[in-house]
Amino acid sequence: MENIINSLQQFWLFTGFANCTWQHLVMILIGLTFITLGIVKHWEPLLLVPIGFGMVLGNIPLFMDPVTGIGLQVGVYEKGSVMNILYQGVKQGWYPPLIFLGIGAMTDFSALISQPRLILIGAAAQCGIFGAYLLALLLGFTPSEAGAIGIIGGADGPTAIFLSGRLAPELMGAIAVSAYSYMALVPVIQKPIMLLLTTKKERLIRMPSPRPVSQKEKIIFPIIGFICTAFIVPSGLPLLGMLFFGNLLKESGVTRRLAETARGPLIDVVTTLIGLTVGASTQADVFLTGNSVKIFVLGLVSFVIATTCGVLFVKFMNLFCKEGHKINPLIGNAGVSAVPDSARVSEVVGLECDPGNHLLMHAMAPNVAGVIGSAVAAGILLGFLG
């Protein structure tokens, strides 16, 4: 009988109930909230559902021997565990370039090629990254940590993961979750800013239709684009190279199978793994800190600055544009890298103001420019701080 009782006591020590703390419950609740928002509200479900489930998975309380410090060897931070092996794709930066390959294979740069001046909007929106970098320094973060935090303003989850893995791996969980959270909240955050900063007259501006783009231009663009950006920022090579290579696969017309694999099965698998492992990395003892709160606040500020700078820069550009060639400032928000969600916000807000004014194709130009811009900004930060 005594042996049975001892065995039951031993079993109890290994259960989650015996090792649970309030911090675990808080993180599990946050994870369930992410899952709910993804399923019920349809807020970036391909991101929030895997991240939310990963949060629940990563915060199941595990036994840890108080003497040896060795646990069950199943957690994301326990070397050699399956979850730890999968997490290496995040920690070592394998996943982000593969996602950029898929993004390149599904991106049409026609809008940008036909209206090259709109690339400046994508560049202006990157001010959010460097604004948040300066604020993070003021809050006491090291330069490397501040650089990793600032990239949240680009609204680009893979880039945030790639850069934080190089500059501040200890903050990666908070940075990644913050970046993906604000990507999901693009419509909620950007619309009020756009309406606040524009007048009714500006919102009614109709832009001329983009000129047709030849297939030859589409093929040449990723080659020239890669060479130019890589020579300027060689440290951004992994992201920029995969982005433009994926686009070349799409536009060349002779590698259709490779392009379909990159933008289909490959990016789906990698997105699932990156979401699940990033979520699992938010263990309560690592994630629930004062720094995490600061990162979420700075991430929001960074995103607001990026959106604001994009809209205001369009208004500035219009000072030099002739009548009939002015730019609707509602596409200024699309300068961030959240493709195609920011462009959709431009379209929705534009149609609310003028049901016949379709801005989507125009907004896609700064939107894809923002993808390039965030990768370039990450390369600049990595070059100076890495």
Side-chain angles (χ1 to χ4, degrees), residues 40 56 64 85 101 133 167 183 187 201 288 323 328 343 384:
V40 177
V56 177
M64 185 71 69
I85 293 172
L101 176 66
Y133 169 74
L167 299 182
M183 285 175 66
K201 181 180 178 181
L288 287 179
E323 201 64 41
N328 192 313
F384 280 99

Side-chain angles (χ1 to χ4, degrees), residues 187-324:
V188 178
I189 298 173
Q190 289 197 319
K191 182 178 177 180
I193 299 172
M194 295 160 64
L195 294 176
L196 178 65
L197 297 177
T198 57
T199 65
K200 183 177 180 179
K201 181 180 178 181
E202 289 174 328
R203 294 195 287 269
L204 295 177
I205 292 175
R206 292 202 174 195
M207 300 172 63
S209 299
R211 70 169 179 83
V213 177
S214 69
Q215 191 62 32
K216 184 177 180 180
E217 288 177 288
K218 292 181 181 180
I219 294 173
I220 293 175
F221 178 80
I223 299 173
I224 300 299
F226 170 66
I227 293 174
C228 291
T229 55
F231 266 81
I232 295 171
V233 191
S235 50
L237 198 66
L239 299 180
L240 292 167
M242 297 298 266
L243 174 70
F244 286 116
F245 176 55
N247 188 247
L248 181 62
L249 293 179
K250 171 182 178 292
E251 302 296 355
S252 67
V254 295
T255 52
R256 182 176 177 181
R257 285 174 52 192
L258 298 181
E260 289 179 348
T261 298
R263 64 172 173 256
L266 178 61
I267 196 171
D268 288 343
V269 169
V270 177
T271 298
T272 301
L273 291 177
I274 203 170
L276 189 67
T277 51
V278 162
S281 70
T282 61
Q283 290 184 1
D285 56 337
V286 177
F287 190 80
L288 287 179
T289 64
N291 278 344
S292 294
V293 176
K294 292 179 183 177
I295 288 170
F296 266 83
V297 173
L298 285 170
L300 176 60
V301 172
S302 177
F303 197 68
V304 170
I305 293 174
T307 304
T308 301
C309 288
V311 174
L312 292 180
F313 187 74
V314 174
K315 293 165 70 78
F316 174 74
M317 288 180 68
N318 280 341
L319 296 176
F320 306 94
C321 295
K322 296 179 181 179
E323 201 64 41

Side-chain angles (χ1 to χ4, degrees), residues 127-172:
C127 290
I129 294 174
F130 298 100
Y133 169 74
L134 296 175
L135 290 174
L137 290 177
L138 293 176
L139 289 178
F141 288 98
T142 66
S144 294
E145 292 172 340
I149 293 169
I151 204 68
I152 298 173
D156 189 337
T159 303
I161 290 172
F162 178 80
L163 191 62
S164 60
R166 295 290 188 277
L167 299 182
E170 70 282 0
L171 300 179
M172 183 186 295

